Amino acid sequence: MKNIDEIAVLLIEQRKKLSIEQKDMYMRIGMKQQQYQRIEAGSDLKLSTLLRVLEGLDLELSIVPKGRATSVFPTESAPASSSDLGERKGGLEDDSDDLDFWFSSGDES
């Protein structure tokens, strides 16, 4: 992927493939329809927000060197263990400010 618009198209396609409406993203990832619409419209977003959206759409982020041929959806073969991916035992740690979304009672814009 080379830009935010390509990511937005992929998110839309995956959401539709899973038969999920934008309004249903609140139940999956705690994001209001209006917030999610902005993402699908190509708004810039934090990595932690992208990871949350990807999780809700059963996708994961892969980073590869430029020029390496990749497919949009990876093949079924996966590494034998998370250590093969170079991940720490604790997995991905999200930004702590995202906790405000889950635990605040205020309305976000």
Side-chain angles (χ1 to χ4, degrees), residues 1 9-11 13-15 17 57-60 70-76:
M1 312 235 164
V9 168
L10 176 64
L11 296 176
E13 290 173 356
Q14 180 69 1
R15 180 180 55 77
K17 178 181 171 187
L57 294 174
D58 299 325
L59 296 171
E60 63 183 29
T70 61
S71 62
V72 173
F73 293 102
T75 61
E76 292 299 316

Side-chain angles (χ1 to χ4, degrees), residues 17-54:
K17 178 181 171 187
L18 296 173
S19 301
I20 300 170
E21 298 291 327
Q22 284 182 338
K23 64 183 178 179
D24 299 326
M25 292 304 287
Y26 185 78
M27 293 304 295
R28 291 182 73 95
I29 62 172
M31 185 174 289
K32 295 178 184 175
Q33 182 176 357
Q34 183 180 2
Q35 292 171 300
Y36 188 75
Q37 282 175 332
R38 282 180 271 188
I39 292 170
E40 285 192 357
S43 291
D44 203 355
L45 67 153
K46 294 188 323 183
L47 178 59
S48 58
T49 303
L50 176 61
L51 292 173
R52 195 167 86 200
V53 169
L54 293 176

